[in-house]
Amino acid sequence: MTQKIAIQVDDLTVAYNYKPVLWDIDLVIPEGVLMAIVGPNGAGKSTLIKAILGIIEPIAGSVAIYGEPYKKQRKLVAYVPQKGSVDWDFPTTALDVVMMGTYGSLGWIKRPGQKQTKAALEALEKVDMLSFKSRQISQLSGGQQQRIFLARALVQNASIYFMDEPFQGVDASTEIAIINILKELRKAGKTVVVVHHDLQTVPEYFDWVTFLNVKKIATGAVKDIFNDNNLTKTYGINYKVAVNK
Amino acid sequence: MSSPQIEIQIIAALVAVSCAIPGVFLVLRKMALISDAISHSILPGIVLGFFITQDLNSPLLIILAAGTGIITVVLVERIQKTGLVKEDTAIGLVFPALFSVGVLLIAKNANDIHLDVDAVLLGELAFAPFDRFLLLGIDAGPKAAWIMGVILLITLSLLYLFFKELKVSTFDVGLSSALGFSPAILHYGLMSVSSVTVVGAFDAVGAILVVALMIAPAAAAYLLTADLKKMLWLSVFFGVFAAISGYWLAHWLDSSIAGSITTVLALVFLLVYFFAPKKGLLSVMYRQKQQRTEVSLLTFLLHLNNHQETQERHINHLREHINWQQVKANTVVGLALDNNLITITNEVISLTTKGLSFTQTALEYIITNKDDKIEHLKDDFFLFRG
C-alpha cells in the first residue's frame, strides 16, 4: 500500500535561547491518519506543531506539506491552538470566533460575507453549538470554548488539521463529541494531528502515534509501536499502561 | 462661541478619536503601558526633528519622532527577549533613558530653540488656534486640526482595511500567524499608528495626557460591551465626550484644557467602573451576593431531598440544623417559595415536583459538570453562570 505523504519533516531543530527544545526531528505523516503526539511536559509537542506551521522559526530543518513549503499550502491546513493561549474575555461572540477560520481563504483586506457566515453556522451546527452563536465567548464553559475552536478549524475545510491539546479541561461529553468529529474527518480522508496527554485513550482514539521527547522516539501505527518499550523510552521511567490486551 | 473656541473643540475631538482607536487594541493586547513609554520616549525624536525642521508641526518631525516610538518598542522587546528582565522592567528602563536624552538635548540648546520640557509634557490646547495653516496664502484653519485630521484619516483607513486582521491577531496570535496574517506586521503597524498619533497629539494635549486619551476610553468601553465594533464606537464616544465637556469644564474653571479633559475621562471611567451593567463593581458584588444565596438555596434543597422524615423538614428544625441566621434562612426559604420549588404545610417544608427536578438537575450538574443539562436554568439563577 503506498499512501501519499501529507506532512514531511526533515532534520527539524528548534531552540529557545540556544537551548534545543526539538532536536533533529525527522517525521513522515501519511495522508489520512489520526495521529497523537505524546510525550512528557516540555517534550516539545506544541513546539513541533508551531514549527510545522511556521509560527516558530526553526534554527534548522525543513517542513513540507504535500511536498511544498507550508507558506504555499496554508489553505490546506487548519490549526487549533491550546485553549489557554487566548484571552476568552476578548469582546466577541462564538460565531465571530468561528468566522475567523474563514479569514485565511479570504486573504488580506477582503471581508467575510454571507458565504462565510453560512459556512460558520454550519460548522457551529456540526459541533452542536448553534444555539450559542451569539453568546459572548467568556460566557461559555471550557468544553464549549473547545467546541468553538474545533468549529473554527472545520470551517477552514482543510486537508490537514493540527490540534494542540483539544481535550484539555473539557468534560467527558465534549471529549467524545470532539473525537467523533476527528474520526469523521479521518474517514473523509483528512489527516489529523493531535497533541495528546491521556495515554490511556491513545489506542481507542488514534490509529497513528508519534512519541516525542525533544528527540523523536518513534512514529508509526498505534498497533505496531504503542508499547511499554516506547513509553519507557519517552517518559524515562518504567512505564506500564493498561494497554496490553 | 467664538471661532477659536470652536477650533479648540474640533482639535480636541480629533485628538480624542485618533487616540481612542489604537487605544482599544492596546488595551485588548494588554499593552497599555507601552503607550506610556512611547509618549515619553518620542521626546528625543521631537527635539532632533525640531533641530532639523525648526517647525513643531512639520511632517518630517512627526515621522522622526514616531520612529523613536518604534525604537522604544523594539528596545523593550529586545531587552525582554534576553530573559534577564521582565517586560514591565524593560519598559521602565527604556523610556526614561530615551526621555532623558531628549531632556539633555533641550537643556543644552535651551537658548537657541523655542521648545521646553513643560510644553512637551503638558501641551497647550489653548494656543493651538494661533498656529494657522496657509493654503495658497489663504487661512485654512489651525495647523493642529489639519495634522490630527490627516492622522485620523490614515488611522480610520487602516482600521477599515485591516479590521479583521487586527481582530484575529489580537485575539489569537497563533491562528493569525498560521493563516498568514503576520502578527509582527500587524504589531508594528499598530505601534506605528500609535506613535504617529502620540506625536501628532502631544503638541495639543501633552505627552502624559495623551496616554489617558488612549487608555481610559477603551478601558471604560471594555466594561460595557462584548462586541469589538461597539467597543470602538463607545471609546470614540467617550473620547469626544471628554474632549468637549473637558473644554467647557476648563472654560468654567478657567484652568488647563488638557487637565480638564483628563479629569472628565477619569470620572467617566469611574462611573462605568462602578455602574456598568454586567462587569461593573456593583453588579459583580450583587452577583456574588446572589450566588451565595443560591448556594445556600441549593444546600437547603439538597437537605430536603435527602430527608423524607417530617421532623427533619420542620421549619424550626431547619433553622437549627443548617444553622443559618434567621435572616438568611428567610431569604433562602423566600427564594425557594418564589420559584415554586417548595411548599409549606403546617410548618413542614416539602419539595414540589419542580423543586425535586431542579435539585436533581443541579446535583447531576455538580457531579458530572455537564453544561447542557442546566442551560435552561442559567437565566433564572446566577449560580451556574461561572
Side-chain angles (χ1 to χ4, degrees):
Chain A
M1 186 177 73
T2 51
Q3 256 176 314
K4 258 197 200 155
I5 295 169
I7 304 151
Q8 179 156 359
V9 176
D10 289 310
D11 309 321
L12 188 77
T13 299
V14 177
Y16 292 135
N17 293 327
Y18 308 105
K19 182 176 175 284
V21 279
L22 281 179
W23 209 329
D24 202 26
I25 306 290
D26 290 306
L27 190 60
V28 173
I29 304 172
E31 184 180 49
V33 298
L34 176 46
M35 183 180 96
I37 303 177
V38 296
N41 288 333
K45 303 183 293 288
S46 299
T47 307
L48 176 60
I49 288 189
K50 285 180 185 163
I52 291 174
L53 298 175
I55 297 171
I56 295 174
E57 197 68 36
I59 58 171
S62 64
V63 173
I65 306 286
Y66 286 109
E68 298 273 353
Y70 172 70
K71 275 184 182 159
K72 287 190 180 169
Q73 306 281 46
R74 280 189 211 283
K75 285 177 187 167
L76 296 181
V77 179
Y79 170 49
V80 178
Q82 277 183 35
K83 190 162 65 65
S85 69
V86 307
D87 175 10
W88 290 92
D89 285 325
F90 190 83
T92 192
T93 59
L95 177 62
D96 198 41
V97 171
V98 179
M99 293 284 281
M100 289 179 191
T102 67
Y103 290 1
S105 63
L106 289 165
W108 288 85
I109 295 176
K110 253 172 92 183
R111 280 146 183 271
Q114 275 182 346
K115 191 178 146 209
Q116 282 74 24
T117 312
K118 193 169 158 268
L121 289 171
E122 280 168 14
L124 275 171
E125 172 102 70
K126 267 185 216 154
V127 297
D128 207 13
M129 287 288 292
L130 194 55
S131 50
F132 295 88
K133 66 176 163 48
S134 311
R135 187 166 291 191
Q136 212 268 314
I137 51 171
S138 66
Q139 303 295 315
L140 298 168
S141 72
Q144 290 168 335
Q145 290 172 344
Q146 193 65 60
R147 285 175 194 232
I148 293 299
F149 258 17
L150 178 61
R152 189 178 71 177
L154 291 177
V155 86
Q156 293 187 45
N157 198 13
S159 304
I160 303 174
Y161 292 79
F162 288 98
M163 312 191 75
D164 203 343
E165 301 199 20
F167 306 120
Q168 182 84 38
V170 307
D171 52 280
S173 66
T174 298
E175 177 158 339
I176 292 163
I178 291 175
I179 196 65
N180 284 339
I181 289 171
L182 299 187
K183 283 178 176 171
E184 267 172 44
L185 287 172
R186 175 182 56 191
K187 220 180 277 172
K190 317 275 190 183
T191 310
V192 185
V193 177
V194 178
V195 171
H196 193 58
H197 257 301
D198 182 6
L199 293 170
Q200 309 285 346
T201 53
V202 170
E204 186 191 334
Y205 290 174
F206 301 94
D207 60 358
W208 211 259
V209 64
T210 292
F211 289 94
L212 190 72
N213 192 354
V214 185
K215 293 176 149 195
K216 185 191 74 182
I217 312 294
T219 184
V222 169
K223 61 177 171 15
D224 299 333
I225 67 156
F226 194 72
N227 52 41
D228 289 340
N229 181 29
N230 279 329
L231 283 167
T232 306
K233 271 197 217 162
T234 309
Y235 289 85
I237 48 169
N238 191 4
Y239 214 102
K240 297 270 183 205
V241 284
V243 292
N244 305 315
K245 297 264 162 71
Chain B
M1 258 190 284
S2 70
S3 113
Q5 282 185 318
I6 294 171
E7 284 175 0
I8 289 170
Q9 289 175 69
I10 289 174
I11 295 167
L14 284 170
V15 170
V17 179
S18 309
C19 288
I21 292 168
V24 165
F25 290 98
L26 291 177
V27 165
L28 289 176
R29 286 165 175 249
K30 299 170 183 64
M31 290 173 63
L33 207 54
I34 206 89
S35 67
D36 195 17
I38 291 175
S39 70
H40 284 71
S41 57
I42 55 171
L43 184 64
I46 290 170
V47 180
L48 284 174
F50 189 74
F51 286 163
I52 297 166
T53 61
Q54 296 295 317
D55 175 5
L56 266 180
N57 288 318
S58 145
L60 180 66
L61 179 142
I62 290 178
I63 290 166
L64 270 176
T68 340
I70 299 297
I71 290 172
T72 314
V73 176
V74 174
L75 280 177
V76 168
E77 282 165 2
R78 279 289 155 87
I79 293 176
Q80 189 196 345
K81 232 176 215 165
T82 60
L84 300 175
V85 291
K86 299 268 181 264
E87 187 187 13
D88 53 346
T89 313
I91 292 175
L93 287 168
V94 169
F95 85 80
L98 287 171
F99 187 73
S100 63
V101 172
V103 173
L104 285 179
L105 281 173
I106 292 181
K108 195 89 182 74
N109 302 281
N111 300 330
D112 307 333
I113 63 167
H114 163 68
L115 183 72
D116 60 68
V117 178
D118 279 358
V120 173
L121 283 181
L122 300 173
E124 189 42 270
L125 209 48
F127 296 154
F130 295 139
D131 197 0
R132 312 300 293 182
F133 180 58
L134 298 177
L135 194 66
L136 305 169
I138 304 158
D139 179 12
K143 242 184 197 169
W146 279 92
I147 289 170
M148 282 324 291
V150 170
I151 291 174
L152 177 58
L153 203 65
I154 294 171
T155 305
L156 284 174
S157 321
L158 290 172
L159 176 70
Y160 179 78
L161 290 174
F162 301 112
F163 179 72
K164 115 175 165 280
E165 289 80 0
L166 272 169
K167 181 165 68 180
V168 68
S169 75
T170 303
F171 174 60
D172 190 339
V173 184
L175 181 79
S176 177
S177 168
L179 291 179
F181 306 117
S182 161
I185 291 177
L186 290 157
H187 172 70
Y188 285 109
L190 178 64
M191 289 302 117
S192 306
V193 169
S194 306
S195 298
V196 169
T197 308
V198 169
V199 183
F202 93 94
D203 194 21
V205 296
I208 297 179
L209 301 186
V210 72
V211 178
L213 280 169
M214 283 201 157
I215 305 308
Y222 179 74
L223 294 177
L224 285 173
T225 177
D227 179 323
L228 181 55
K229 277 184 188 159
K230 280 188 199 143
M231 186 175 164
L232 281 160
W233 282 113
L234 273 172
S235 302
V236 166
F237 169 76
F238 286 143
V240 174
F241 172 78
I244 307 293
S245 52
Y247 171 79
W248 288 103
L249 180 67
H251 188 75
W252 178 58
L253 293 173
D254 192 18
S255 175
S256 152
I257 301 173
S260 303
I261 291 176
T262 314
T263 306
V264 173
L265 275 174
L267 288 175
V268 166
F269 178 77
L270 273 179
L271 278 176
V272 171
Y273 176 73
F274 282 111
F275 301 110
K278 275 187 191 150
K279 297 188 197 162
L281 195 61
L282 292 183
S283 166
V284 168
M285 280 165 64
Y286 172 73
R287 198 155 55 230
Q288 282 168 351
K289 184 176 162 283
Q290 289 291 97
Q291 280 177 342
R292 275 198 298 275
T293 313
E294 280 151 11
V295 170
S296 310
L297 171 71
L298 206 56
T299 317
F300 169 65
L301 294 176
L302 286 176
H303 178 83
L304 290 177
N305 193 34
N306 285 342
H307 294 280
Q308 302 305 320
E309 50 290 26
T310 324
Q311 96 234 26
E312 282 281 339
R313 294 188 281 123
H314 194 274
I315 201 154
N316 289 331
H317 168 82
L318 283 167
R319 269 179 203 146
E320 276 165 40
H321 198 106
I322 305 185
N323 205 11
W324 292 334
Q325 279 143 17
Q326 190 153 345
V327 181
K328 196 171 169 190
N330 287 342
T331 318
V332 170
V333 172
L335 190 64
L337 273 174
D338 287 347
N339 284 285
N340 294 323
L341 298 170
I342 54 167
T343 51
I344 306 177
T345 33
N346 299 328
E347 303 206 310
V348 171
I349 304 175
S350 326
L351 283 173
T352 59
T353 333
K354 189 187 169 199
L356 199 63
S357 85
F358 175 84
T359 313
Q360 271 154 6
T361 321
L363 252 179
E364 199 172 338
Y365 170 70
I366 291 166
I367 294 165
T368 62
N369 215 17
K370 272 185 197 164
D371 253 1
D372 43 334
K373 298 265 182 226
I374 47 138
E375 244 349 285
H376 61 285
L377 300 176
K378 283 188 181 175
D379 296 331
D380 299 330
F381 291 96
F382 288 98
L383 184 60
F384 303 111
R385 289 179 195 168

